[in-house]
Amino acid sequence: MSRRVTVNVPDEVAERLEREPNVSQYVTTAIRDRMRHEERLSATQRMLADAGYQLTAEGIDRMRTRLAEHEARRAARRDQGQAA
């Protein structure tokens, strides 16, 4: 069973969708992927909570910053290795 849904999207998204032969399938796949991601995140949070850990927005932001800094250092080392 399916239902028709009308949504408004930014211009760049609409332009991308115009290149798809089957917009409904493309959007459905993207949303299902997002739903699976949210389910995995929720399961991970429950598992961590059961182990005594609590995820907070601040902690997640702190870790994202640390990971970005780490990736920047790795990229810089790679670039230095290629320049040598």
Side-chain angles (χ1 to χ4, degrees):
M1 184 169 196
S2 64
R3 293 191 331 200
R4 183 177 193 84
V5 178
T6 302
V7 298
N8 294 315
V9 296
D11 289 342
E12 71 273 10
V13 174
E15 290 167 7
R16 174 61 183 86
L17 292 175
E18 288 170 356
R19 296 193 308 261
E20 283 301 315
N22 187 335
V23 174
S24 294
Q25 181 181 9
Y26 184 85
V27 171
T28 298
T29 299
I31 291 172
R32 284 182 175 153
D33 287 348
R34 177 63 184 250
M35 290 167 60
R36 279 191 295 274
H37 169 76
E38 291 170 353
E39 290 167 3
R40 285 191 304 268
L41 178 59
S42 181
T44 299
Q45 289 172 334
R46 282 192 308 275
M47 181 185 67
L48 289 171
D50 289 347
Y53 295 95
Q54 183 177 10
L55 296 180
T56 63
E58 295 82 15
I60 292 169
D61 287 342
R62 223 176 15 255
M63 186 53 68
R64 283 185 177 139
T65 299
R66 289 178 63 188
L67 288 171
E69 291 167 352
H70 174 72
E71 283 301 317
R73 286 192 302 272
R74 285 182 63 195
R77 284 196 300 270
R78 275 195 308 270
D79 292 346
Q80 288 174 351
Q82 291 174 355

